[in-house]
Amino acid sequence: NAPEAKTIKDSLTETYLEEETLQKKNADVVKVNDKTTAHTESKKSVEELLQLGNEYLGKRNYRPAKIYYEKAIKKGSSKAMYKLGYMYSHSMGFPSDYKKAIYWYEMAVNKGEVEAMALLGDLYANDYAGLRDNMGKREYKKAKAWYEKAINKGNHTAAKYGLGTLYHFGNGVAKDYKKAAILLEEAARNGYAASMYALGNLYSNGGYGVQKDDSAAKYWYEKGCSAGLDFACSELKNYK
């Protein structure tokens, strides 16, 4: 015999109530897990949080990288400050925001981070987001000042390359290949591959205080090619 309508209704109601109870239990479990995770995260040291941020950034998993950097910052990490600034300046997981990038770089600089000084130099030298002065010109003078601070404070290799490039192309300063060569060579001898290629170009052309020197150009193109720079390999073909 078919069940009565009332029985069917009661059965459906019981099923609904059981499902609702199960969902509530699952939600409670999630809340407990979230609280446990939050408690565990709060116990992590600033170094552990920074390391997790770096790991996720290396995997290009930007959302958790940002979260861990922010947590590290709350615990006082100056390195996480410039890492977060780097994410803002390079559109990693969210649109670029150069005001925020500058803010976090400068916060890190205030804590003595030399890396942040070099990154500020890059920001102004490379015209990110059209950063210009009141005359509409690139902020090369600011780039130069930050590169010099990074060099003076920490003998920063990438800053030497950046400043050497300014002298090489005469950006914000008078062209001076001699100064460029000194800075670029110091960076190159510390393994900075882009400097090796730049030195090859500098000696290949000569001028502005530096003699054209094909043997030196070939030497630095070889170094750059060995370091994996395709441009240097291409130029090296002219010296076979």
Side-chain angles (χ1 to χ4, degrees):
N1 295 333
E4 296 178 4
K6 183 180 178 181
T7 306
I8 294 173
K9 183 179 179 181
D10 290 343
S11 178
L12 289 172
T13 300
E14 288 172 4
T15 301
Y16 172 78
L17 290 173
E18 287 175 1
E19 181 65 26
E20 187 178 40
T21 302
L22 182 60
Q23 288 179 2
K24 285 181 178 179
K25 284 182 179 179
N26 288 338
D28 289 339
V29 169
V30 170
K31 285 180 182 178
V32 170
N33 287 340
D34 286 345
K35 287 179 180 178
T36 302
T37 301
H39 181 66
T40 303
E41 296 294 348
S42 69
K43 286 188 171 183
K44 290 187 186 299
S45 69
V46 65
E47 291 80 10
E48 288 173 320
L49 293 169
L50 179 63
Q51 181 60 33
L52 283 166
N54 291 341
E55 288 176 4
Y56 280 113
L57 186 66
K59 296 174 183 176
R60 298 185 181 180
N61 197 345
Y62 299 128
R63 185 172 178 274
K66 180 174 180 285
I67 289 170
Y68 279 114
Y69 286 144
E70 288 171 339
K71 287 181 178 182
I73 288 169
K74 286 179 180 178
K75 290 196 173 188
S77 173
S78 53
K79 286 183 170 57
M81 291 173 186
Y82 72 71
K83 290 281 189 176
L84 185 58
Y86 188 84
M87 291 186 74
Y88 276 116
S89 69
H90 288 76
S91 187
M92 292 180 162
F94 41 84
S96 296
D97 188 327
Y98 298 99
K99 286 184 179 180
K100 285 184 178 179
I102 291 170
Y103 171 81
W104 286 115
Y105 286 158
E106 289 183 345
M107 287 288 285
V109 166
N110 291 337
K111 297 281 189 179
E113 288 291 346
V114 174
E115 184 70 24
M117 298 173 192
L119 288 169
L120 276 166
D122 288 342
L123 198 67
Y124 288 113
N126 292 295
D127 193 32
Y128 292 132
L131 293 170
R132 302 295 173 101
D133 62 18
N134 293 333
M135 302 297 290
K137 295 181 179 180
R138 288 195 187 189
E139 300 261 40
Y140 289 126
K141 288 184 178 179
K142 285 186 179 180
K144 178 176 179 286
W146 283 116
Y147 284 144
E148 287 174 339
K149 283 182 181 180
I151 293 166
N152 293 333
K153 292 279 186 181
N155 201 31
H156 196 281
T157 297
K160 289 179 180 179
Y161 167 74
L163 185 57
T165 300
L166 293 183
Y167 281 113
H168 188 180
F169 294 103
N171 292 332
V173 294
K175 272 190 181 183
D176 189 331
Y177 280 13
K178 191 174 286 186
K179 283 184 179 178
I182 291 169
L183 289 160
L184 292 171
E185 186 164 338
E186 286 181 9
R189 294 198 183 282
N190 280 329
Y192 204 81
S195 278
M196 300 169 191
Y197 175 66
L199 279 166
N201 290 339
L202 190 150
Y203 285 115
S204 176
N205 297 316
Y208 299 97
V210 168
Q211 291 290 324
K212 179 179 169 65
D213 187 334
D214 286 342
S215 63
K218 180 183 178 184
Y219 173 82
W220 286 113
Y221 283 141
E222 284 175 341
K223 288 286 187 182
C225 184
S226 297
L229 291 181
D230 291 338
F231 290 137
C233 296
S234 295
E235 292 294 337
L236 189 57
K237 293 175 183 177
N238 297 322
Y239 293 88
K240 296 296 184 183

